[in-house]
Short mmCIF file of all heavy atoms in Angstrom, two decimals:
data_model
loop_
_atom_site.label_atom_id
_atom_site.label_comp_id
_atom_site.label_asym_id
_atom_site.label_seq_id
_atom_site.Cartn_x
_atom_site.Cartn_y
_atom_site.Cartn_z
N ARG A 401 155.18 28.53 26.31
CA ARG A 401 153.71 28.24 26.42
C ARG A 401 153.04 28.49 25.11
O ARG A 401 152.10 27.73 24.69
CB ARG A 401 153.09 29.07 27.54
CG ARG A 401 151.62 28.84 27.73
CD ARG A 401 151.09 29.59 28.89
NE ARG A 401 151.19 31.02 28.74
CZ ARG A 401 150.36 31.77 28.11
NH1 ARG A 401 149.31 31.25 27.47
NH2 ARG A 401 150.54 33.10 27.98
N GLY A 402 153.41 29.57 24.41
CA GLY A 402 152.78 29.89 23.16
C GLY A 402 151.28 30.03 23.27
O GLY A 402 150.75 30.80 24.11
N SER A 403 150.53 29.25 22.51
CA SER A 403 149.06 29.36 22.53
C SER A 403 148.42 28.37 23.48
O SER A 403 147.17 28.27 23.55
CB SER A 403 148.48 29.10 21.14
OG SER A 403 148.87 27.81 20.67
N ASP A 404 149.22 27.64 24.27
CA ASP A 404 148.67 26.67 25.22
C ASP A 404 148.00 27.43 26.34
O ASP A 404 148.65 28.01 27.20
CB ASP A 404 149.80 25.77 25.74
CG ASP A 404 149.27 24.63 26.64
OD1 ASP A 404 148.09 24.64 26.97
OD2 ASP A 404 150.08 23.75 26.99
N GLY A 405 146.68 27.37 26.43
CA GLY A 405 145.97 28.09 27.47
C GLY A 405 145.59 27.22 28.66
O GLY A 405 144.87 27.66 29.53
N SER A 406 146.10 26.01 28.73
CA SER A 406 145.79 25.13 29.86
C SER A 406 146.49 25.56 31.11
O SER A 406 147.49 26.26 31.08
CB SER A 406 146.19 23.68 29.50
OG SER A 406 147.56 23.56 29.47
N ARG A 407 145.94 25.14 32.23
CA ARG A 407 146.61 25.43 33.52
C ARG A 407 148.00 24.81 33.54
O ARG A 407 148.97 25.38 34.07
CB ARG A 407 145.77 24.85 34.68
CG ARG A 407 144.47 25.62 34.87
CD ARG A 407 143.47 24.90 35.74
NE ARG A 407 143.99 24.54 37.03
CZ ARG A 407 144.36 23.29 37.39
NH1 ARG A 407 144.28 22.30 36.51
NH2 ARG A 407 144.85 23.05 38.59
N TYR A 408 148.14 23.62 32.98
CA TYR A 408 149.45 22.99 32.88
C TYR A 408 150.40 23.83 32.06
O TYR A 408 151.57 24.04 32.46
CB TYR A 408 149.30 21.59 32.24
CG TYR A 408 150.65 20.92 31.94
CD1 TYR A 408 151.35 20.28 32.94
CD2 TYR A 408 151.16 20.94 30.63
CE1 TYR A 408 152.55 19.65 32.66
CE2 TYR A 408 152.36 20.34 30.36
CZ TYR A 408 153.03 19.68 31.36
OH TYR A 408 154.24 19.09 31.09
N GLY A 409 149.96 24.37 30.95
CA GLY A 409 150.79 25.19 30.13
C GLY A 409 151.24 26.43 30.83
O GLY A 409 152.42 26.84 30.71
N TYR A 410 150.35 27.06 31.56
CA TYR A 410 150.70 28.24 32.29
C TYR A 410 151.71 27.98 33.37
O TYR A 410 152.66 28.79 33.60
CB TYR A 410 149.46 28.90 32.92
CG TYR A 410 148.74 29.89 31.99
CD1 TYR A 410 147.90 29.45 31.03
CD2 TYR A 410 149.00 31.22 32.13
CE1 TYR A 410 147.24 30.35 30.18
CE2 TYR A 410 148.37 32.13 31.29
CZ TYR A 410 147.50 31.73 30.30
OH TYR A 410 146.89 32.61 29.47
N ARG A 411 151.58 26.87 34.09
CA ARG A 411 152.42 26.65 35.24
C ARG A 411 153.78 25.98 34.91
O ARG A 411 154.73 26.13 35.67
CB ARG A 411 151.67 25.80 36.27
CG ARG A 411 150.52 26.52 36.91
CD ARG A 411 149.94 25.68 38.03
NE ARG A 411 148.62 26.22 38.43
CZ ARG A 411 147.86 25.65 39.35
NH1 ARG A 411 148.23 24.53 39.91
NH2 ARG A 411 146.68 26.20 39.66
N TYR A 412 153.82 25.21 33.82
CA TYR A 412 155.04 24.40 33.62
C TYR A 412 155.81 24.76 32.35
O TYR A 412 156.97 24.42 32.23
CB TYR A 412 154.67 22.90 33.58
CG TYR A 412 154.26 22.42 34.97
CD1 TYR A 412 152.91 22.38 35.30
CD2 TYR A 412 155.18 22.08 35.89
CE1 TYR A 412 152.52 22.02 36.59
CE2 TYR A 412 154.81 21.71 37.17
CZ TYR A 412 153.51 21.67 37.52
OH TYR A 412 153.11 21.30 38.78
N LYS A 413 155.18 25.44 31.42
CA LYS A 413 155.92 25.85 30.25
C LYS A 413 156.44 27.27 30.45
O LYS A 413 156.11 27.96 31.39
CB LYS A 413 155.01 25.83 29.02
CG LYS A 413 154.56 24.37 28.67
CD LYS A 413 153.74 24.36 27.38
CE LYS A 413 153.37 22.91 27.02
NZ LYS A 413 152.54 22.83 25.79
N ASP A 414 157.37 27.67 29.58
CA ASP A 414 158.08 28.98 29.73
C ASP A 414 157.12 30.11 29.43
O ASP A 414 156.30 30.08 28.50
CB ASP A 414 159.26 29.05 28.80
CG ASP A 414 160.30 27.98 29.04
OD1 ASP A 414 160.39 27.56 30.23
OD2 ASP A 414 161.03 27.61 28.09
N LEU A 415 157.31 31.19 30.17
CA LEU A 415 156.66 32.47 29.92
C LEU A 415 157.67 33.28 29.09
O LEU A 415 158.67 33.69 29.58
CB LEU A 415 156.30 33.18 31.21
CG LEU A 415 155.95 34.66 31.15
CD1 LEU A 415 154.63 34.83 30.38
CD2 LEU A 415 155.80 35.26 32.55
N GLY A 416 157.34 33.50 27.81
CA GLY A 416 158.23 34.31 26.96
C GLY A 416 159.60 33.73 26.84
O GLY A 416 160.60 34.48 26.79
N SER A 417 159.75 32.40 26.84
CA SER A 417 161.04 31.67 26.74
C SER A 417 161.96 31.93 27.91
O SER A 417 163.14 31.63 27.81
CB SER A 417 161.73 32.07 25.41
OG SER A 417 160.96 31.66 24.30
N LEU A 418 161.42 32.45 29.04
CA LEU A 418 162.22 32.60 30.22
C LEU A 418 162.37 31.25 30.95
O LEU A 418 161.37 30.52 31.08
CB LEU A 418 161.57 33.61 31.18
CG LEU A 418 161.38 35.02 30.58
CD1 LEU A 418 160.46 35.83 31.42
CD2 LEU A 418 162.73 35.72 30.45
N ALA A 419 163.58 30.95 31.39
CA ALA A 419 163.86 29.61 31.96
C ALA A 419 163.02 29.40 33.24
O ALA A 419 163.25 30.03 34.23
CB ALA A 419 165.35 29.48 32.27
N ASP A 420 162.08 28.48 33.14
CA ASP A 420 161.04 28.26 34.19
C ASP A 420 161.60 27.34 35.25
O ASP A 420 161.95 26.22 35.02
CB ASP A 420 159.82 27.64 33.53
CG ASP A 420 158.60 27.72 34.38
OD1 ASP A 420 158.10 28.83 34.64
OD2 ASP A 420 158.10 26.69 34.85
N PHE A 421 161.63 27.85 36.52
CA PHE A 421 162.15 27.06 37.61
C PHE A 421 161.31 25.81 37.90
O PHE A 421 160.05 25.85 37.83
CB PHE A 421 162.23 27.87 38.90
CG PHE A 421 163.41 28.71 39.06
CD1 PHE A 421 163.30 30.08 39.28
CD2 PHE A 421 164.69 28.18 39.04
CE1 PHE A 421 164.41 30.86 39.44
CE2 PHE A 421 165.83 28.96 39.21
CZ PHE A 421 165.70 30.30 39.42
N THR A 422 161.97 24.75 38.27
CA THR A 422 161.32 23.50 38.71
C THR A 422 161.04 23.63 40.21
O THR A 422 161.83 23.23 41.03
CB THR A 422 162.20 22.25 38.42
OG1 THR A 422 162.50 22.22 37.04
CG2 THR A 422 161.44 20.98 38.81
N HIS A 423 159.89 24.22 40.56
CA HIS A 423 159.56 24.44 41.94
C HIS A 423 159.30 23.13 42.71
O HIS A 423 159.23 23.15 43.93
CB HIS A 423 158.31 25.31 42.03
CG HIS A 423 158.55 26.73 41.58
ND1 HIS A 423 157.65 27.41 40.79
CD2 HIS A 423 159.60 27.56 41.81
CE1 HIS A 423 158.12 28.64 40.56
NE2 HIS A 423 159.29 28.75 41.15
N GLU A 424 159.18 22.04 41.97
CA GLU A 424 158.91 20.77 42.62
C GLU A 424 160.19 20.09 43.13
O GLU A 424 160.11 19.03 43.74
CB GLU A 424 158.19 19.83 41.64
CG GLU A 424 156.84 20.34 41.16
CD GLU A 424 157.01 21.42 40.05
OE1 GLU A 424 158.09 21.49 39.42
OE2 GLU A 424 156.06 22.22 39.88
N LEU A 425 161.34 20.67 42.83
CA LEU A 425 162.59 20.17 43.37
C LEU A 425 162.91 20.82 44.69
O LEU A 425 162.87 22.07 44.82
CB LEU A 425 163.76 20.44 42.40
CG LEU A 425 163.91 19.52 41.23
CD1 LEU A 425 165.08 19.96 40.36
CD2 LEU A 425 164.10 18.12 41.63
N PRO A 426 163.19 20.06 45.76
CA PRO A 426 163.46 20.66 47.09
C PRO A 426 164.66 21.60 47.03
O PRO A 426 164.67 22.63 47.75
CB PRO A 426 163.73 19.46 47.98
CG PRO A 426 163.99 18.36 47.09
CD PRO A 426 163.22 18.60 45.82
N GLU A 427 165.67 21.31 46.22
CA GLU A 427 166.85 22.23 46.12
C GLU A 427 166.45 23.59 45.59
O GLU A 427 166.97 24.62 46.06
CB GLU A 427 167.92 21.62 45.21
CG GLU A 427 168.51 20.32 45.73
CD GLU A 427 167.75 19.07 45.34
OE1 GLU A 427 166.63 19.23 44.76
OE2 GLU A 427 168.26 17.97 45.56
N VAL A 428 165.54 23.61 44.63
CA VAL A 428 165.12 24.89 44.06
C VAL A 428 164.29 25.64 45.07
O VAL A 428 164.48 26.83 45.24
CB VAL A 428 164.34 24.63 42.75
CG1 VAL A 428 163.71 25.94 42.24
CG2 VAL A 428 165.24 24.02 41.70
N ALA A 429 163.32 24.95 45.69
CA ALA A 429 162.48 25.63 46.70
C ALA A 429 163.34 26.19 47.81
O ALA A 429 163.16 27.36 48.23
CB ALA A 429 161.48 24.66 47.26
N GLU A 430 164.30 25.45 48.27
CA GLU A 430 165.17 25.94 49.39
C GLU A 430 166.02 27.10 48.91
O GLU A 430 166.19 28.11 49.67
CB GLU A 430 166.10 24.81 49.86
CG GLU A 430 167.04 25.22 51.00
CD GLU A 430 167.88 24.08 51.50
OE1 GLU A 430 168.14 23.13 50.69
OE2 GLU A 430 168.37 24.16 52.64
N TYR A 431 166.54 27.06 47.71
CA TYR A 431 167.44 28.13 47.23
C TYR A 431 166.63 29.42 47.10
O TYR A 431 167.14 30.46 47.53
CB TYR A 431 167.99 27.75 45.87
CG TYR A 431 169.22 28.56 45.51
CD1 TYR A 431 170.49 28.16 45.87
CD2 TYR A 431 169.08 29.77 44.80
CE1 TYR A 431 171.63 28.92 45.55
CE2 TYR A 431 170.18 30.51 44.48
CZ TYR A 431 171.47 30.13 44.85
OH TYR A 431 172.55 30.86 44.55
N LEU A 432 165.45 29.35 46.57
CA LEU A 432 164.62 30.58 46.39
C LEU A 432 164.14 31.16 47.74
O LEU A 432 164.10 32.35 47.93
CB LEU A 432 163.47 30.28 45.49
CG LEU A 432 163.84 29.97 44.00
CD1 LEU A 432 162.59 29.47 43.24
CD2 LEU A 432 164.46 31.16 43.33
N GLU A 433 163.79 30.25 48.66
CA GLU A 433 163.37 30.71 49.96
C GLU A 433 164.54 31.40 50.68
O GLU A 433 164.33 32.50 51.29
CB GLU A 433 162.91 29.52 50.80
CG GLU A 433 161.55 28.99 50.39
CD GLU A 433 161.12 27.76 51.21
OE1 GLU A 433 161.84 27.38 52.16
OE2 GLU A 433 160.11 27.16 50.89
#
Side-chain angles (χ1 to χ4, degrees):
R401 180 175 62 84
S403 61
D404 186 350
S406 69
R407 291 164 56 255
Y408 172 80
Y410 270 83
R411 293 187 192 175
Y412 291 95
K413 293 183 179 180
D414 299 332
L415 167 65
S417 298
L418 300 166
D420 196 68
F421 275 125
T422 304
H423 291 138
E424 301 77 21
L425 281 180
E427 294 87 352
V428 172
E430 181 179 23
Y431 198 89
L432 293 171
E433 287 176 6

